[in-house]
Amino acid sequence: MTKWLIVLGVLLLLGGLVYWRLRPYINLVRRFFGAVREARRVGEQRQARGASDMPGREPRRVGGRLARCPVCGTWFPPERAVTFRGDPAKYCSHSCLERAAERPRRTGTLRD
């Protein structure tokens, strides 16, 4: 009886090691089949709606105003702006907000 338990334990250990080594490849195959499944679903939606419109896309807003980040100069839509409390400046990301906070403020006076 103990011999069979030892054999079963060794087989489970070997199976676990093989799975551990093959896990990245198994995940790659799963992602591939997930992408194929998603492409098939989108194609079916497109057929159901008609071939004229693009599925999953919202119509682009034309003529909207963009805001410019004072730190990096990137233009971005104002609804994606990152602001800090009462500061009127709008930043494109949290990292630009942090960089702006680290910069010394100009007070308008000359220092000697």
Side-chain angles (χ1 to χ4, degrees):
M1 181 69 179
T2 59
K3 182 169 68 169
W4 290 109
L5 289 176
I6 292 173
V7 169
L8 181 63
V10 168
L11 287 176
L12 286 174
L13 181 66
L14 286 175
L17 288 174
V18 167
Y19 172 75
W20 184 261
R21 296 294 287 180
L22 294 178
R23 193 173 48 134
Y25 303 109
I26 292 170
N27 286 336
L28 183 68
V29 170
R30 290 173 75 190
R31 285 193 321 203
F32 173 75
F33 283 121
V36 169
R37 188 179 316 118
E38 181 67 18
R40 184 176 291 168
R41 184 186 64 80
V42 167
E44 289 171 357
Q45 283 181 352
R46 187 174 186 186
Q47 276 185 338
R49 288 184 189 173
S52 62
D53 59 347
M54 294 293 292
R57 286 203 167 174
E58 295 180 16
R60 293 183 108 181
R61 206 177 68 201
V62 178
R65 300 199 93 162
L66 297 177
R68 187 169 187 180
C69 179
V71 176
C72 67
T74 302
W75 292 92
F76 59 93
E79 57 269 5
R80 291 185 44 205
V82 178
T83 57
F84 183 71
R85 296 186 188 172
D87 190 4
K90 296 180 180 182
Y91 302 97
C92 66
S93 65
H94 290 284
S95 62
C96 282
L97 175 65
E98 291 171 2
R99 281 192 282 174
E102 291 171 358
R103 285 192 294 181
R105 297 230 181 241
R106 294 184 184 176
T107 58
T109 59
L110 295 176
R111 295 183 187 174
D112 292 327

